[in-house]
Amino acid sequence: MTELEIFKLVCIFIIGLVMGSFLNVVGIRLLKEEDFVFERSKCPKCKEKIAWYDNIPLLSYVLLRGKCRHCSESISFQYPLVELITGILFVLVYYFWGSSIKTIFFLILVSNLIVITITDLKEKVIFDINSIPLIPLGLIFNFFDIGGNSLEKVEFLGVAFNDVFISAVLGALLGAAFFEIFSRLGYLFSGEYAFGGGDTILGAALGAWFGWKGIIIILALSLVFQMILGIPLIMYNFIKSREYQSLCAMGGLFLALVLSITGRYIGYQGGYNLAIGLIILSFLIGGISVFVIFKRMRETQNYTFLPFGPPLVIAGLLVMFLENKITFYLPF
Ligand SMILES: [Zn+2]
């Protein structure tokens, strides 16, 4: 890298830090239904207005040692964390795609995904204002093939579209359908919607940006991330409330996972009949386990749903950065 390029990356990092600071404020004020553009920042405890020199991203937090200058109330670690993450993501986007329209589109996407993560983690809400515009934006992105991934034109109703645009439309439908269907299934079994309406819109948005192959990978990855994060927590709750039936069902789910992975492996080695048997068995055990878990949830009225936005966002960003390299691993 030349000195000029490093200088540019440093500038982008600073822009990212400032943007992160702004996104923090947007997220928090959306939750409080405050005006986030014109109101000056103030300390949530002593209500003292925060001077500009105490509002410098990252730096002020370090200099003030995480405490308000006036009342010494601790400043949430969320502020420097979001600023740093935004800075890093901005640098990565710029590093990969340079000064291009693609970079601008991805920076808009990243910024909205950060606000979505903040509001979903804090209060389990995804605001329409952050998620809905991402759907048309993603479709525009692919309509004009701003990503530069189109391989051919596809004729549809006599009009030639970029293949990535067709994929984006399918992806948006698939993303929305996944959450709608599972939400309703969850309702059928447990009397409670498994996902919020915000997840449906976010699913549609990510589908619109990354196409039908992208959204399949995003959904699969986010389920894995959610399991890694959620299962220990849910197990802990089951043990605490002596919910042994559900605990066994969780064991069943794990067994089903192991069986299906083993089945796939044997399938690759050529043992097709055994592989199919194992996979069918894993579906059976998995299905029964899910049924037991939902049944017990309904009986005990004990729901431990985690927000699904954050794992979706992480998976979405991963697919964004890896682009075609990740769809390469799909068998279709
Ligand atoms: Zn204060």
Side-chain angles (χ1 to χ4, degrees), residues 43-48 68-73:
C43 167
K45 194 186 175 204
C46 67
K47 310 288 177 205
E48 195 76 42
C68 169
R69 184 184 288 277
H70 305 284
C71 67
S72 298
E73 171 82 350

Side-chain angles (χ1 to χ4, degrees), residues 184-200:
R184 265 152 219 186
L185 276 179
Y187 190 78
L188 214 65
F189 280 114
S190 67
E192 189 92 342
Y193 285 107
F195 298 106
D199 294 322
T200 302

Side-chain angles (χ1 to χ4, degrees), residues 11 20 48 62 119 123 136 142 148 151 175 185 195 208 210 283 304 307:
C11 288
E48 195 76 42
V62 177
T119 59
E123 311 244 335
N142 285 308
L151 296 173
L185 276 179
F195 298 106
F210 302 114
F283 268 95
T304 35

Side-chain angles (χ1 to χ4, degrees), residues 45-291:
K45 194 186 175 204
C46 67
K47 310 288 177 205
E48 195 76 42
K49 289 237 158 65
I50 296 167
W52 66 267
Y53 49 83
D54 284 342
N55 214 355
I56 301 165
L58 219 50
L59 204 63
S60 290
Y61 184 87
V62 177
L63 292 176
L64 291 167
R65 299 207 183 109
K67 287 185 167 61
C68 169
R69 184 184 288 277
H70 305 284
C71 67
S72 298
E73 171 82 350
S74 300
I75 302 167
S76 166
F77 189 62
Q78 179 199 324
Y79 291 95
L81 187 68
V82 170
E83 286 158 7
L84 189 64
I85 289 173
T86 312
I88 292 170
L89 288 173
F90 271 46
V91 165
L92 285 174
V93 168
Y94 188 80
Y95 179 78
F96 278 112
W97 298 292
S99 312
S100 63
I101 303 175
K102 190 174 181 179
T103 293
I104 294 170
F105 265 79
F106 277 165
L107 291 182
I108 296 171
L109 174 66
V110 164
S111 300
N112 278 286
L113 292 180
I114 288 170
V115 178
I116 286 171
T117 308
I118 295 173
T119 59
D120 206 17
L121 275 179
K122 282 186 94 98
E123 311 244 335
K124 296 194 184 179
V125 280
I126 294 174
F127 289 97
D128 290 349
I129 192 172
N130 298 128
S131 57
I132 290 179
L134 291 180
I135 300 174
L137 219 54
L139 292 175
I140 291 168
F141 179 82
N142 285 308
F143 183 84
F144 295 106
D145 188 27
I146 291 168
N149 294 320
S150 182
L151 296 173
E152 56 179 350
K153 298 272 183 189
V154 177
E155 192 120 339
F156 186 72
L157 296 173
V159 187
F161 291 103
N162 284 317
D163 55 353
V164 285
F165 177 68
I166 304 289
S167 172
V169 173
L170 292 174
L173 294 173
L174 201 63
F178 175 85
F179 288 104
E180 281 302 301
I181 290 168
F182 276 91
S183 220
R184 265 152 219 186
L185 276 179
Y187 190 78
L188 214 65
F189 280 114
S190 67
E192 189 92 342
Y193 285 107
F195 298 106
D199 294 322
T200 302
I201 300 168
L202 182 56
L206 291 173
W209 279 84
F210 302 114
W212 68 272
K213 284 187 180 178
I215 194 67
I216 288 175
I217 293 174
I218 290 169
L219 292 173
L221 281 177
S222 59
L223 284 171
V224 172
F225 294 156
Q226 189 72 324
M227 275 199 258
I228 293 170
L229 287 169
I231 285 183
L233 193 75
I234 293 172
M235 297 272 252
Y236 173 74
N237 277 331
F238 283 157
I239 293 169
K240 212 174 63 180
S241 55
R242 296 169 185 278
E243 189 38 59
Y244 297 117
Q245 268 191 45
S246 304
L247 206 60
C248 288
M250 291 293 273
L253 267 186
F254 184 72
L255 180 66
L257 187 72
V258 172
L259 283 178
S260 77
I261 291 170
T262 316
R264 269 198 85 113
Y265 178 76
I266 291 171
Y268 283 128
Q269 307 291 320
Y272 295 112
N273 291 334
L274 183 58
I276 289 168
L278 281 176
I279 287 168
I280 290 173
L281 188 65
S282 77
F283 268 95
L284 260 169
I285 296 175
I288 293 168
S289 305
V290 168
F291 176 77

